[in-house]
Amino acid sequence: MTGLAIVLSALGLAGVATLLMQPVPPLTGLPDVLTNRALLAIQPAILTLICVGIGVFAAPRVGLAASGLAALLAGDSPWTVWRAALVPVLAVGICASAVILIYGILSAPHLGEAAGQGAPILSRLLYGGLTEEIIARWGVMSLLVWLALRVLPESDLAYWIGIAGAALLFALAHLPMIFALVAAPPAGLILTVIAANALAGAGFGWLFWRHGLEAAMAAHVLAHLVVYVGQALAGRA
């Protein structure tokens, strides 16, 4: 598992590095300089490494995996694993993109000018698609399933608890950014953020359970890519 930990750490930190491309949110009161962007990236970098370690411990103990990457590291072909996940990834990714688009429409009136200041596409794909999945699914979901199986009989319920718990925490983790962009976000905006991200997170969690971490990553990347293309065609990317 050492090789897998190194690969996941590299992927996760590559996503964190893209945060240097994003302006410092104005309500933080910090000047938008590279030093402050780097300071804001320290916490997600540490969290990523912690979640890589948690997942290395918990995931194999509950039957969760990054099967394709593990096959690559073992010198085998990952294509059998990845091919089986193709249709589910497309389905979840497209559904998640619809959720993100609806979320954008509902939240735009509350965000004002900030609605047009989305993260750069590279950050959406690498931080959103890779780093967030390493944190929320590989780390948090694996741990929640492992804890659930310590007190529950072996059943799908433990996995659904992990999926739901990780999806909710994934959604709540998006609130600090909202508070950094909007001085007093209304309850409707907060509920929209939680509902949209929890729904998408549940889909990614199901993919992780059934098809491995790479499937969750691929669907998350696809969702952001579809949204970006749609926004570009509408002249709003």
Side-chain angles (χ1 to χ4, degrees):
M1 294 295 284
T2 303
L4 183 59
I6 292 172
V7 171
L8 292 179
S9 296
L11 292 174
L13 293 178
V16 171
T18 66
L19 297 180
L20 300 178
M21 302 167 61
Q22 298 188 37
V24 175
L27 292 184
T28 62
L30 298 172
D32 183 22
V33 296
L34 184 59
T35 302
N36 287 332
R37 294 186 186 187
L39 287 173
L40 292 175
I42 290 174
Q43 183 178 352
I46 293 173
L47 182 59
T48 298
L49 295 176
I50 291 172
C51 286
V52 168
I54 291 173
V56 167
F57 166 80
R61 287 169 168 78
V62 296
L64 297 173
S67 304
L69 290 175
L72 274 175
L73 291 169
D76 299 324
S77 172
W79 296 115
T80 300
V81 174
W82 290 346
R83 187 165 52 245
L86 180 59
V87 172
V89 164
L90 290 173
V92 172
I94 291 171
C95 289
S97 69
V99 169
I100 294 171
L101 286 169
I102 293 170
Y103 157 69
I105 293 170
L106 294 177
S107 63
H110 303 293
L111 293 176
E113 292 184 3
Q117 301 173 359
I121 182 58
L122 192 62
S123 185
R124 298 187 215 180
L125 299 181
L126 296 186
Y127 185 80
L130 304 185
T131 308
E132 287 186 348
E133 288 307 306
I134 290 169
I135 294 172
R137 252 55 68 180
W138 182 251
V140 176
M141 180 177 151
S142 295
L143 179 61
L144 291 177
V145 173
W146 180 78
L147 290 173
L149 286 173
R150 305 286 289 179
V151 297
L152 294 174
E154 188 85 25
S155 71
D156 288 354
L157 177 60
Y159 293 88
W160 284 113
I161 290 173
I163 290 170
L168 180 58
L169 291 173
F170 170 73
L172 293 174
H174 286 76
L175 291 181
M177 180 56 70
I178 294 299
F179 280 93
L181 293 172
V182 182
L189 176 59
I190 293 173
L191 291 175
T192 299
V193 170
I194 293 174
N197 284 288
L199 187 59
F204 302 145
W206 177 83
L207 280 174
F208 176 36
W209 176 27
R210 293 303 192 187
H211 296 283
L213 181 64
E214 305 96 311
M217 288 177 166
H220 202 151
V221 167
L222 176 62
H224 283 300
L225 188 59
V226 170
V227 169
Y228 178 78
V229 171
Q231 291 173 336
L233 291 175
R236 296 190 296 110

